[in-house]
């Protein structure tokens, strides 16, 4: 049972691995007050520090935060050798402006699946 509300819509995110400076685009699977889950083209090592830019609908400026990979796992079938793996990556917030966290929480509440 989850302790926080999670919104389940697709948002565009750009994340940069701080150690390498490598930036990638991803789509969110869900967002919550504690972090986000991305669909990525690679499996990221837990503990990896990220700079993330998250675009919320109806808002011109994106939300920025520092995050840390909590977990990352492959999804779907094993790709062929020339394809990138598709994975899910859970990222927890490390540093985020309280106003931005509030915006994300409001977004998550509006987009949460109905409770059973």
């Amino acid at each position: 049972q989850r302790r926080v509300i999670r919104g389940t819509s697709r948002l565009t995110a750009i994340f940069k691995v701080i150690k390498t400076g490598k930036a990638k685009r991803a789509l969110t699977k869900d967002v919550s007050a504690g972090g986000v889950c991305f669909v990525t083209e690679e499996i990221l090592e837990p503990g990896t520090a990220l700079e993330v830019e998250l675009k919320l609908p109806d808002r011109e400026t994106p939300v920025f935060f520092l995050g840390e990979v909590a977990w990352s796992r492959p999804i779907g079938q094993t790709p062929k050798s020339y394809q990138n793996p598709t994975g899910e990556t859970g990222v927890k917030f490390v540093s985020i402006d309280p106003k931005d966290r509030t915006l994300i929480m409001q977004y998550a509440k509006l987009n949460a699946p109905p409770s059973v």
Side-chain angles (χ1 to χ4, degrees):
Q1 190 72 20
R2 297 216 187 258
R3 294 172 294 193
V4 293
I5 295 172
R6 292 185 175 273
T8 56
S9 81
R10 302 283 189 245
L11 299 173
T12 301
I14 297 171
F15 67 93
K16 181 166 77 172
V17 177
I18 294 173
K19 192 174 184 179
T20 64
K22 193 173 174 183
K24 297 270 185 157
R25 184 179 298 269
L27 285 177
T28 62
K29 183 176 177 186
D30 60 48
V31 295
S32 74
V36 297
C37 176
F38 298 141
V39 176
T40 56
E41 290 184 345
E42 61 191 307
I43 306 304
L44 298 169
E45 192 69 35
T48 301
L50 304 174
E51 288 178 1
V52 182
E53 178 181 318
L54 188 63
K55 181 76 174 116
L56 293 174
D58 303 327
R59 190 159 191 268
E60 266 188 49
T61 56
V63 170
F64 293 95
F65 65 88
L66 294 178
E68 181 180 294
V69 174
W71 54 267
S72 192
R73 64 178 175 237
I75 54 174
Q77 297 178 340
T78 305
K80 296 180 174 46
S81 61
Y82 57 87
Q83 295 174 313
N84 287 328
T86 301
E88 288 181 338
T89 300
V91 178
K92 64 182 176 181
F93 297 137
V94 172
S95 175
I96 184 170
D97 184 290
K99 289 181 214 156
D100 288 342
R101 185 187 296 258
T102 300
L103 285 170
I104 289 173
M105 287 181 354
Q106 289 170 344
Y107 181 81
K109 283 180 189 173
L110 287 172
N111 293 282
S115 359
V116 179

